[in-house]
């Protein structure tokens, strides 16, 4: 049985917590998503065989990494630059990168800024290259110049409150445990009891506030009445701050795997976390006809351009899986991951 080791690594930017399965081998760096931590990669860490060296990192403000504030005006570059500093501290010049959800955006930014340092890129149910919310069309056209409909103000206030309160129960629809079992994965799938508790604890380790999750917001004259601020997690994914649509220009072009659950309700062309889609179905009042963000179509558009420019891209859609395909279908995920690692 593989024994995992968790430790803190001091870098030039901050001290980061990592969990790893072995100290030698070809580095595979696993980057978690929003309101989670490296704990969500424990199964992958134990399953990935030698000669690979899987390393799961906690991003700033999550898990055991220093809770430095997030400058959202840099998009996801705070996280990507932190990752570069970590690899430098570990003496790793090139690595395979695997990013889930928001972590997908982090590794996309890393590829955009440092293509020669990336051996391969795996995107697991990733945020769109045009950010989360506030855009329409495959080219990520802003719905409003200020990014209305995205950013810190779009978070469910009950979820934020329960997260800050450390709620571990199932008494509310927005409790972290309920969000885990109804949104992170597709019901009726449930993690093993011990794993579920560990995932909830990882969610509760998220720092909450304007500098962290969800971030600040500003009023907007455009529906639904709020626009991104300049601080915190959700603003770092707002389309006015994060946009990685020129990947076809990077050189070299490492192979890319895009793997996702077909029944993901978080990252979707009809996302239940996109206020425009919620408005269209009557769940958010005052909807003015703003179209839902086609998140999958946007990702496919960017990756198709990457492939047309000479890159290798493989899309794997896993039927019956939700937002956390690596948890729900670990064997299918592991098989696809090993194929891109050895490409």
């Amino acid at each position: 049985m593989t024994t995992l080791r968790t430790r803190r690594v001091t870098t030039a930017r901050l001290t980061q917590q990592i969990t790893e399965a072995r100290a030698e081998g070809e580095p595979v760096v696993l980057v978690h998503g929003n309101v989670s931590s490296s704990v969500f990669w424990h199964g992958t860490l134990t399953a990935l065989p030698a000669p690979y060296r899987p390393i799961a990192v906690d991003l700033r403000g999550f898990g055991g990494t220093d809770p430095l504030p997030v400058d959202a005006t840099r998009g996801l570059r705070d996280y990507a630059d932190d990752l570069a500093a970590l690899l430098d501290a570990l003496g790793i010049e090139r690595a395979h990168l695997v990013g889930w959800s928001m972590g997908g955006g982090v590794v996309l930014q890393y590829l955009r800024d440092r293509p020669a340092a990336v051996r391969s890129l795996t995107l697991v149910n990733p945020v769109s290259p045009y950010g989360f919310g506030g855009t329409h069309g495959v080219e990520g056209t802003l719905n409003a110049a200020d990014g209305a409909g995205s950013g810190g103000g779009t978070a469910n206030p009950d979820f934020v409150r329960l997260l800050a309160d450390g709620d571990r129960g199932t008494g509310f629809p927005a409790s972290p445990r309920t969000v885990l079992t109804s949104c992170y994965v597709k019901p009726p799938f449930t993690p093993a009891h011990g794993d579920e508790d560990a995932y909830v604890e990882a969610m509760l380790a998220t720092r909450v506030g304007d500098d962290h999750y969800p971030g600040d917001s500003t009023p907007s004259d455009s529906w639904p009445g709020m626009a991104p601020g300049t601080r915190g997690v959700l603003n770092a994914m707002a389309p006015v701050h994060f946009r990685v649509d020129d990947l076809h220009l990077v050189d070299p072009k490492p192979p890319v795997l895009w793997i996702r659950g077909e029944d993901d309700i978080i990252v979707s062309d009809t996302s239940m976390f996109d206020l425009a889609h919620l408005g269209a179905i009557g769940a958010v009042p005052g909807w003015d006809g703003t179209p839902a963000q086609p998140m999958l179509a946007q990702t496919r558009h960017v990756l198709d351009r990457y492939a047309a420019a000479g890159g290798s891209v493989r899309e794997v859609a896993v039927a019956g899986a939700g937002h956390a395909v690596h948890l729900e279908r670990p064997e299918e995920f592991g098989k696809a991951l090993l194929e891109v690692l050895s490409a």
Side-chain angles (χ1 to χ4, degrees), residues 246-253 302-313:
D246 56 355
L247 290 180
H248 58 290
L249 300 179
V250 304
D251 182 34
K253 291 180 173 63
V302 169
L303 294 182
D304 282 350
R305 294 177 73 191
Y306 185 86
S312 171
V313 176

Side-chain angles (χ1 to χ4, degrees), residues 2-343:
T2 303
T3 300
L4 300 181
R5 177 193 180 198
T6 296
R7 60 190 176 103
R8 283 167 55 81
V9 179
T10 299
T11 78
R13 290 174 59 81
L14 75 171
T15 298
Q16 302 178 62
Q17 182 164 290
I18 65 171
T19 302
E20 52 195 340
R22 60 187 64 89
E24 298 180 349
E26 197 169 312
V28 180
V29 181
L30 308 166
V31 184
H32 65 80
N34 192 16
V35 191
S36 64
S37 78
S38 59
V39 169
F40 281 77
W41 289 117
H42 281 188
T44 303
L45 287 169
T46 58
L48 198 61
Y52 299 108
R53 177 192 177 188
I55 304 166
V57 58
D58 288 343
L59 299 173
R60 65 167 62 193
F62 298 96
T65 287
D66 288 352
L68 269 63
V70 176
D71 179 357
T73 65
R74 306 186 71 234
L76 293 171
R77 275 197 171 94
D78 271 358
Y79 301 117
D81 290 351
D82 290 348
L83 184 59
L86 173 67
L87 297 187
D88 184 64
L90 295 174
I92 296 172
E93 295 183 0
R94 295 181 70 223
H96 301 278
L97 300 182
V98 183
W100 168 47
S101 194
M102 183 182 78
V106 174
V107 300
L108 281 170
Q109 187 67 62
Y110 194 101
L111 172 63
R112 173 62 184 82
D113 296 340
R114 305 169 181 85
V118 181
R119 290 178 179 266
S120 72
L121 192 79
T122 296
L123 305 171
V124 187
N125 299 78
V127 64
S128 165
Y130 302 105
F132 198 98
T135 67
H136 64 273
V138 297
E139 295 186 349
T141 303
L142 287 173
N143 296 333
D146 61 1
S150 67
T154 66
N156 183 323
D158 290 334
F159 177 67
V160 176
R161 175 180 58 81
L162 292 165
L163 194 65
D165 289 347
D167 183 89
R168 292 170 173 80
T170 57
F172 303 96
S175 69
R177 188 180 298 272
T178 302
V179 170
L180 168 69
T181 57
S182 63
C183 301
Y184 282 27
V185 297
K186 180 188 177 182
F189 175 86
T190 54
H193 183 68
D195 289 341
E196 181 177 310
D197 289 343
Y199 296 150
V200 171
E201 293 304 316
M203 295 171 73
L204 294 175
T206 301
R207 298 343 187 260
V208 175
D210 285 349
D211 284 321
H212 301 290
Y213 179 83
D216 61 348
S217 66
T218 58
S220 174
D221 292 332
S222 300
W223 186 89
M226 81 284 288
T230 61
R231 302 154 59 194
V233 176
L234 293 188
N235 295 311
M237 290 186 282
V240 292
H241 301 313
F242 175 68
R243 185 180 181 94
V244 186
D245 61 347
D246 56 355
L247 290 180
H248 58 290
L249 300 179
V250 304
D251 182 34
K253 291 180 173 63
V256 175
L257 167 67
W258 174 23
I259 183 167
R260 59 183 178 83
E262 286 189 344
D263 296 327
D264 186 354
I265 66 169
I266 296 177
V267 175
S268 166
D269 288 350
T270 53
S271 170
M272 297 303 292
F273 287 68
D274 177 13
L275 294 187
H277 175 64
L278 293 175
I281 63 175
V284 174
W287 182 60
D288 65 351
T290 297
Q293 180 186 8
M295 301 178 187
L296 302 182
Q298 290 176 349
T299 297
R300 190 171 295 111
H301 174 70
V302 169
L303 294 182
D304 282 350
R305 294 177 73 191
Y306 185 86
S312 171
V313 176
R314 181 187 179 202
E315 178 181 348
V316 177
V318 181
H323 187 60
V325 66
H326 58 299
L327 303 182
E328 299 167 79
R329 300 293 181 82
E331 292 184 2
E332 292 174 63
F333 170 73
K335 180 176 183 294
L337 177 60
L338 285 173
E339 288 173 358
V340 74
L341 296 181
S342 62

